[in-house]
Amino acid sequence: MNRKKDKGFESPRPFKLTHQVVCINNINFQRKSVIGYVELTIFPTVVNLNRIKLNSKQCRIYRVRVNDLEAPFLYNDPTLEVCHHESKQRNLNYFSSAYTAAVSAVDPDAGHGELVIKVPSELWKQGDDLKVLKVYIEFSLDQPKGGLHFVVPDVEGSMAERGAHVFSFGYQNSTRFWFPCVDSYSELCTWKLEFTVDASMVAVSCGDLVETIYTHDMRKKTFHYVLPIPTAAPNISLAVGPFEILVDPYMHEVTHFCLPQLLPLLKHSMSYLHEIFEFYEEILTCRYPYSCFKTVFVDEAYVQVSSYASMSIFSTNLLHSAMIIDQTPQTRRCLAQALAQQFFGCFISRMSWADEWVLKGISGYIYGLYLKKTFGVNEYRHWIKEELDKIVEYELKMGGVLLHPTFSGGKEKDNPTPHLHFSIKHPHTLSWEYYKMFQCKAHLVMRLIENRISMEFMLQVFNKLLSLASTASSQKYQSHMWSQMLLSTHAFLKSISNVSGKDIGPLIKQWVDQSSVVKFFGSFAFNRKRNVLELEIRQDYTSSGTQKYVGPIKVTVQELDGSFNHMLQIEENSLKHDIPCHSKSRRNKKKKIPLMNGEEVDMDLSAMDADSPLLWIRIDPDMSILRKVEFEQADFMWQYQLRYERDVVAQEEAISALEKFPTPASRLALTDILEQEQCFYKVRMQACFCLAKIANAMVSTWQGPPAMKSLFTRMFCCKSCPNIVKTNNFINFQSYFLQKTMPVAMALLRDGQNICPKDVLNFILDLIKYNDNRKNKFSDNYYRADLIEALTNSLTPAMSINNEVRTVDNLNADVRLILEEITRFLNMEKLLPSFRNTITISCLRAIRQLQKNGHIPSDPSLFKSYAQYGHFVDLRIAALEALVDYTRVERSSAELQWLLSMAQNDPVHYVRHKILGMLCKNPPFTKTTDSALCNEALVDQLWKFMNSGTSHDWRLRCDAVNLYYMLFGLTRPSCLPLPELGLVLNLKEKKAVLNPTIKPELGVGAVMDTPASIGIHGFNTMEDEDIDMETVHDSQAFIHHHLNLLERPSTPGTHTHTHTHTHTHTHTLIAEYRNTHTHHCRGHYIHVTSYKQALDNKKKPAKPGSVRRTSTSAGRG
Amino acid sequence: VFSVHMVGEGSVSICRSAGKATSSPAENYLLARRRTLQVVVSALLTESGFESAEKAAVETLTEMLQSYITEIGRCAKAYCEHTARSVPTLSDTVVTLIEMGFNVDTLPIYAKRSQRMVITAPPVTNAPVTPKALSAGQKRTHPAHIPSHFPEFPDPHTYIKTPTFREPVSDYQVVREKAATQRRDVERALTRFIAKTGETQSLFKDDITTFPLIAAQPSTIPYLSALLPSELELQALEETDSSEQDDQTDGENTHIALDDPGADKENSMLPPSGVVPSTKASEDNVIDNPYLRPVKKPKVRRKK
């Protein structure tokens, strides 16, 4: 098996693609349509290649020719409508498996496709000499819903003047949405791309722009691109618009494009890109693989960053001027991500979906190295901790994330992730959240590998992979070298072992082949007699998302005499570890205490336990396990750790721990950290919030002014008049961030009555009043937005929350002041908009908070107006977030409908995605709660949406599935009426007589004639068990032949399903079920029993909840 | 004669004081004089045989008379000043009258005519008190080289520059307070105005005026206003660029931060204003970027 892999990549197709031409000769912005053709040059690898399967969605195909001969073709997309039968069950389990089956049925990695072209018999009769075939396909796209996105602002003027543009987008391999291709990351070929566009526009695409030629009427021009480096179709992209062009002043082969009027921003934002280039080229000791690089900034982007071969498409909202502080690091991060993916992801592509983690891991890892270099070690470690916390939280909540799934058995039983409501077999069935976590885990695992084999070896491995690929890329197709450009898990691991000579098998097994994270609980006791630290490390490996860890773990103990590392071995049954201490307990003589980094410091040791030499203990300080550690040590130890441990991660851990110890000593430690300028600013920011919590817990004993007030005054207010803040000068970014954060944290303070102290509110109002940015080099929009956030944080519930009495006259005096500020800010923003409308966003949040706390009438209309298309996207998202919250709190069915209809119809894909995402995060109801909103109509609506309404956008479909899961759970939604008796009996009967080993003579016919019903459908699943894909497709062709479909090629439109079509498709689905039927049928059976139970219980009041529970538990068992 | 006599008196010594002490003595004086003139005109009319006259006619004649007399006075004064005197003499008046085409010889006869009416002297009114000029400081005496008959120096305030300014409000707190209040008032007024004149939204159903929100208007290209700095900001930036802040920043941030890896990394995000490599300018011409190349003409001929 391994040897086989060594030889290279085995294509699932009976042919090999070598070259593809894409020619789009008309782009109509008015009608949002595209006309063009593709020509694929393929080498058959079998004799008698009679059928070619390609991927194509949405495209209307006019004609197909193979070597100039008209070829009949078939177009069948099972993902258009996942479940064809009007299933009354509305069962998500059923949907998920059907969806997986549909995606599998057209999966290019399995050699399938939506478009089946019959090679004219003249050609395949030629026999054995395996001649080159040229497949020519004419197609058009009309108002594409996916793949290409048109942005056409509704103003006067020509398309160019209006800033109209179009660009390709998609989640994973989605190129089939805009031209027919082999939509797989593992099918590489060279490309020739031609785009004819209006003379005022620029077409940016992959590869080198060879020439630009006017058309004969001189009104259009054609951009000719050649991409000589073998590239997979999903890495091909296009952007057309009246872009302003900026040639990078440092690297002339790099060109930047932005929309009209934004050139000054582009110049500034891109002024840094060359440093990222230099960095990657240096660490990888490898030149950037493509001969040019293009960045395009577009409006209404699908994601912030998407990388394609030699170009990246970014959201235009990443552009910023020199006045903006907060956006700058974010934009640089995005650029760095995009560039890292150019090397790993675009140039080196993945061999299969299961190898995705390697590419995401490497690009994420080198991106991390860039962060370390540019933003410093503190920032890097902080980021790693953040990412680790994120993945740990996700896995503990949702269950494991599996990096390298294997589907050996193919049976549902062997589903590696039974805890998930979606399949991880395909990228297109994955929930977005899961995929994000997947990427996060991938780069963390790469870091673990680095810890194991050293960075030097790691970079050598990358270099080796890149050199191999770049050698291969320059070869001709015939040398069969191109597969070297595909990276598999196996090749990666092999390379690691070759380079480092180390065996990282256990590591891979633990984190890559297995999902879940580790959860440690640690506690200790000091044995004075033996001068030994008795450390106990327990694990929780039974909860969901956890696994058992066996192996080494590092423990760092800071003693009086210094800091000592201990490697402990976590074994099956050993919980306790004895660690000998180096120091005797406290000595009286004053001596400096050496720290881990060699520094020696004076400490006030009066707080510590006189009997113990231990200052603090850290478990796994290097984060070399994907874990969560809950460690118990005394408050003074946390305080020492916060003050004296130099690692930011340790400081942050100490801050989180100190929340549980509201004592004056904690207060002092936090205040000291806040004041320390050498301390990392993010730690100081975190300390602010912790201090606020501690102050609230200590409210009865708190001495002096409100927490942080005097500190803020000292740091940011005028010496002569301490109540007035200095005029803004954000030249020191650390203090800027602190200045922004402290008021926000202070506003969380509460007095004995649990309201925000008057002092604090007035203090914040004064900050707003005296804010003066006239002399500042930087914009204060984020600062002002944070001051509004502070006002929001100061809000507490009103005395009476009755909606009727929320009138202006009844307004609380403080709230009135707050509301005045908000009104003024909101109105000023209309006249002088701030960068990314940050201030309006904060105001909207404040207004929602005022509503929620019962100060002003709860009313969605303001948010609705801001959520409209035509507002800046950040603003829309903020308004929608408020609406989602409103929907949940008020249980408003009208607003839920409004949101859902926007999720279905909004022109901006990102907004649609966000709406569903936010509804999932803050659902109007869940499967465990009763709600008037939960009704049959809603079930139907959502079901329809995910079944057929989202076929143009994988991500959106998965979002809809997520929401459905959130609202109704995996099994039949409780609000649906019980299924009818006849059906149940029918199913059961069939099952009883069923003999799965019997292979039907002509299963196809049976399917054709059987009326659609769920019971029958389940039954057929059984019948078709042994039919393999080939048979199915042959029979498919057979049917179509008989129906004369092949004679008159035509493409069904998005919604035109002929009767035949549907059935054929069903058949495909069923065939795919062969892998999953066992579980599936069991599922049905179980349902039957539960329904029976329910029927038996029918005399009692119906309790759908209990029924569901039964079925779920039965299903799991 | 009477009238001329009056002229002489009137123009030469205006300072005769009379009248009741009213609020404005100067006005009273003028009124009294005018009244006298009116009486004179009426007398002359009666003398000429008129029995009655319209008020307007009398007024007009009075006006004419007054102008005539005034002109004589003005002219006589001019003559006298012309000869470097300050008080007109009889001859000045005579020359004036001659100049104005009046036969002076007829004057004594006219004055002595029998039917002339004698008019009582106008009531003595107090000549208006010229308000005492504000005397500021000591009047300067003539220096030695100026003869004493030259006019005296005017009051010092007329020529001495006294730098007067109000003590500026140097209290920082007050300045900030004022600036803040001012800005807030302007913003409030402006936004209220816009809100009053346009569409609004309200947070309260019962009261739409207390917290008026300018209605949200979707725009066709929303990213422009959200991303581009406003003109105000740009202007402010230009101002600060040339001001003191710039001195600190240029040195500190763009260069030092880049060199020192331990320093605040984010400072290097500052604009490398003009730090584009120096070679750039010279290389500008040789940039070979496919997007900058001219668009080719279609190859028409070949096809034919």
Side-chain angles (χ1 to χ4, degrees), chain A residues 678-722:
Chain A
Q678 299 97 315
C679 182
F680 184 48
Y681 74 100
K682 285 189 176 169
V683 171
R684 296 165 78 192
M685 283 158 75
Q686 199 191 333
C688 293
F689 290 98
C690 182
L691 197 53
K693 280 188 191 148
I694 286 188
N696 289 345
M698 295 170 64
V699 67
S700 51
T701 57
W702 188 267
Q703 302 279 315
M708 289 174 276
K709 186 163 179 241
S710 47
L711 205 59
F712 188 96
T713 309
R714 208 173 325 136
M715 292 168 80
F716 304 110
C717 291
C718 304
K719 298 274 173 300
S720 58
C721 35

Side-chain angles (χ1 to χ4, degrees), chain A residues 397-444:
Chain A
K397 192 167 138 236
M398 306 293 291
V401 171
L402 184 57
L403 290 184
H404 183 56
T406 44
F407 302 93
S408 49
K411 301 275 182 206
E412 190 73 7
K413 235 191 328 222
D414 304 325
N415 180 358
T417 50
H419 54 276
L420 298 172
H421 58 278
F422 48 85
S423 159
I424 58 164
K425 204 171 164 188
H426 300 282
H428 298 151
T429 55
L430 228 52
S431 121
W432 182 251
E433 190 70 18
Y434 180 90
Y435 184 58
K436 277 204 295 199
M437 287 304 135
F438 175 93
Q439 289 169 291
C440 168
K441 191 169 184 177
H443 81 76
L444 287 174

